[in-house]
């Protein structure tokens, strides 16, 4: 791939960003994409405006550190150079989600209710992962968005990592398809403890397909402005300004490609040909955080934090949040989901609350996170 580079940029965090010919990116190593024609722009971008016509996003947005050193020319895309030790540690992939105890299906696991009214949903518990999410399911979703509050939580040891993200999923709980984006602190994957913008996909529950960013074939990047896996700044702090990462993922109806938009920038897409089910729609959407560690649901528990590292109940300015969660259906209009549920695997370690202030017209904001090991989570 680097034989086709046009320019190298050295970021102050040590990353090397290669500006690579857009037609020579890793996506086209996939057999199904050998004759793929790049869709340079989505056929439409769903509106994220309020009924009175104002932009919903009013919080300051993070930027990428490498951009201080320049930009990539037209006809190229920025690709973060992957170190050999990173590939040896993770191969750019998440480990498969083995359901706790046995290969359970959703009908064998724990219950949650949407808005405490709709019939119960059974939610799986993967080993080595602890999740705190806002969830909606049961319809055909062709998009989702949200403003993800950005922090820099602690990761105790390799290969543990923590994320704040959006998932769109379809399929069986042990063999699902998903497209995902958000931020992560993942020292094994990126060789440092910075907060980084990431994307991911899988067509088989993380078993053999998919990867982070552009580590393997799959995601087709079109933007010259965003480096997948690149560090973002500034991060939020308690009592200080809160920064967000606005994410918008939606399926283009003319191509079935799943487009990713970072703030106002169309970054690229996951081709619909990667999937069997997601080429039609997603059947669930999740917003929230996840910690990967072999020491979740164990004593002593991992000290890897989720979100800000503070409990969800501490609310704005202290706890991590996802604001304005939206789903897109075939009406092509973003809306707050009719039914939602809050789920947390370990409420004493990583909590979650969909908080609505006293004003009846206010929309709920989803808060999540925690420190991991503490007096409540030994």
């Amino acid at each position: 791939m680097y034989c086709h580079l046009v320019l190298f940029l050295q970021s102050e965090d040590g990353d090397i960003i290669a500006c690579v010919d857009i037609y020579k990116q890793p996506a086209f190593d996939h057999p199904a994409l050998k004759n793929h024609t790049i869709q340079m722009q989505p056929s439409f971008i769903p509106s994220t405006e309020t009924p009175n016509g104002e932009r919903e996003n009013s919080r300051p947005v993070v930027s990428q550190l490498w951009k201080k050193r320049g930009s990539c020319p037209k006809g190229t895309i920025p690709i973060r150079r992957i170190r050999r030790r990173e590939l040896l540690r993770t191969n750019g992939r998440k480990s498969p989600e083995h359901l706790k105890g046995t290969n359970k299906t959703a009908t064998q696991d724990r219950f949650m209710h949407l808005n405490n009214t709709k019939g119960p949903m059974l939610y799986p518990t993967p080993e080595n992962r602890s999740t705190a999410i806002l969830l909606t399911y049961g319809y055909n979703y062709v998009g989702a968005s949200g403003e993800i509050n950005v922090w820099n939580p602690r990761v105790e040891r390799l290969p543990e990592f923590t994320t704040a993200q959006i998932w769109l999923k379809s399929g069986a709980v042990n063999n699902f398809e998903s497209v995902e984006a958000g931020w992560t602190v993942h020292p094994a994957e990126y060789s440092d403890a910075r907060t980084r913008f990431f994307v991911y996909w899988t067509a088989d529950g993380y078993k053999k397909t998919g990867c982070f960013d552009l580590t393997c074939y799959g995601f087709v990047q079109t933007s010259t402005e965003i480096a997948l896996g690149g560090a973002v700044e500034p991060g939020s702090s308690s009592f200080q300004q809160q920064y967000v990462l606005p994410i918008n993922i939606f399926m283009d109806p003319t191509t079935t490609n799943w487009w990713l938009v970072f703030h106002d920038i169309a970054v690229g897409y996951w081709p619909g040909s990667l999937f069997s089910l997601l080429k039609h729609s997603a059947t669930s959407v999740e917003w929230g955080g996840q910690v990967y560690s072999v020491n979740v649901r164990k004593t002593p528990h991992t000290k890897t934090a989720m979100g800000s590292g503070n409990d969800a109940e501490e609310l704005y300015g202290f706890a991590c949040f996802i604001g304005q969660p939206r789903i897109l259906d075939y009406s092509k209009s973003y809306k707050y989901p009719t039914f939602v549920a809050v789920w947390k695997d370990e409420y004493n370690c990583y909590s979650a609350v969909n908080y609505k202030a006293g004003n009846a017209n206010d929309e709920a904001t989803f808060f999540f996170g925690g420190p991991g090991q503490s007096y409540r989570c030994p």
Side-chain angles (χ1 to χ4, degrees):
M1 175 180 66
Y2 296 113
C3 295
H4 306 284
L5 66 89
V6 175
L7 179 69
F8 271 131
L9 296 171
Q10 176 82 51
S11 176
E12 65 183 53
D13 64 350
D15 279 352
I16 296 175
I17 304 298
C19 300
V20 176
D21 185 324
I22 190 172
Y23 293 98
K24 304 299 181 181
Q25 61 183 291
F28 302 118
D29 292 336
H30 193 296
L33 301 178
K34 286 296 183 184
N35 298 312
H36 181 78
T37 300
I38 297 178
Q39 182 184 5
M40 296 305 295
Q41 290 289 334
S43 63
F44 84 112
I45 295 180
S47 172
T48 55
E49 293 184 344
T50 57
N52 63 11
E54 296 178 356
R55 294 283 306 194
E56 287 190 333
N57 183 354
S58 59
R59 300 184 180 95
V61 175
V62 294
S63 59
Q64 290 203 300
L65 201 57
W66 72 275
K67 292 285 288 179
K68 293 180 179 180
R69 297 299 176 93
S71 59
C72 286
K74 186 177 180 179
T76 69
I77 61 167
I79 298 181
R80 176 185 170 273
R81 192 169 190 175
I82 301 167
R83 298 171 175 87
R84 183 171 181 268
R85 63 179 178 269
E86 295 167 355
L87 286 174
L88 291 174
R89 283 194 296 250
T90 71
N91 200 28
R93 297 176 58 194
K94 296 183 180 182
S95 62
E97 286 198 353
H98 300 296
L99 300 186
K100 191 174 183 294
T102 62
N103 289 327
K104 297 179 182 179
T105 65
T107 56
Q108 296 172 304
D109 218 315
R110 298 179 289 172
F111 290 87
M112 72 165 89
H113 293 259
L114 297 182
N115 289 2
N116 295 317
T117 57
K118 201 176 180 185
M121 176 188 179
L122 299 150
Y123 193 78
T125 305
E127 289 182 331
N128 301 338
R129 287 173 170 84
S130 189
T131 301
I133 58 169
L134 183 72
L135 167 73
T136 189
Y137 80 101
Y139 296 91
N140 293 315
Y141 307 105
V142 292
S145 65
E147 292 183 356
I148 307 175
N149 188 205
V150 177
W151 294 77
N152 183 243
R154 173 188 181 184
V155 171
E156 182 179 15
R157 60 169 65 94
L158 301 181
E160 297 178 349
F161 64 87
T162 181
T163 72
Q165 63 175 102
I166 299 174
W167 296 258
L168 290 102
K169 293 181 178 180
S170 189
V173 296
N174 58 354
N175 201 47
F176 60 87
E177 300 176 356
S178 75
V179 289
E180 312 171 16
W183 61 257
T184 184
V185 179
H186 193 339
E189 179 68 24
Y190 300 108
S191 296
D192 64 23
R194 292 183 178 272
T195 302
R196 293 176 175 272
F197 174 53
F198 83 94
V199 302
Y200 203 95
W201 71 277
T202 183
D204 58 2
Y206 308 134
K207 294 183 180 71
K208 294 182 179 179
T209 63
C211 61
F212 283 98
D213 309 327
L214 299 178
T215 308
C216 68
Y217 58 76
F219 189 86
V220 177
Q221 184 161 340
T222 59
S223 172
T224 62
E225 300 180 60
I226 300 296
L228 300 178
V232 294
E233 65 168 16
S236 304
S237 301
S238 299
F239 297 106
Q240 303 296 323
Q241 181 69 64
Q242 300 299 297
Y243 295 89
V244 297
L245 176 69
I247 294 294
N248 179 357
I249 303 171
F250 63 94
M251 187 174 72
D252 190 311
T254 64
T255 61
T256 72
N257 297 330
W258 285 90
W259 274 88
L260 169 68
V261 175
F262 174 117
H263 195 27
D264 293 323
I265 301 170
V267 179
Y269 58 89
W270 296 271
S273 57
L274 296 174
F275 308 106
S276 298
L277 301 172
L278 279 179
K279 69 171 57 175
H280 304 292
S281 69
T283 53
S284 69
V285 180
E286 300 170 10
W287 299 262
Q290 186 175 81
V291 166
Y292 172 82
S293 171
V294 297
N295 293 317
V296 295
R297 287 186 288 277
K298 293 180 181 177
T299 302
H301 194 279
T302 179
K303 295 178 182 176
T304 291
M306 180 192 294
S308 68
N310 295 321
D311 293 327
E313 292 78 8
E314 297 191 39
L315 301 180
Y316 190 83
F318 298 94
C320 188
F321 65 85
I322 296 182
Q324 297 157 359
R326 297 286 187 270
I327 57 94
L328 184 70
D329 58 22
Y330 290 114
S331 70
K332 297 184 181 180
S333 176
Y334 270 116
K335 61 191 73 174
Y336 190 87
T338 304
F339 299 103
V340 293
V342 172
W343 181 260
K344 52 266 190 186
D345 285 315
E346 302 177 284
Y347 63 88
N348 283 329
C349 306
Y350 310 112
S351 57
V353 59
N354 201 30
Y355 177 76
K356 187 172 184 178
N359 190 334
N361 295 323
D362 287 345
E363 183 178 283
T365 299
F366 179 64
F367 294 90
F368 63 97
Q373 186 184 131
S374 68
Y375 72 94
R376 293 196 307 159
C377 177

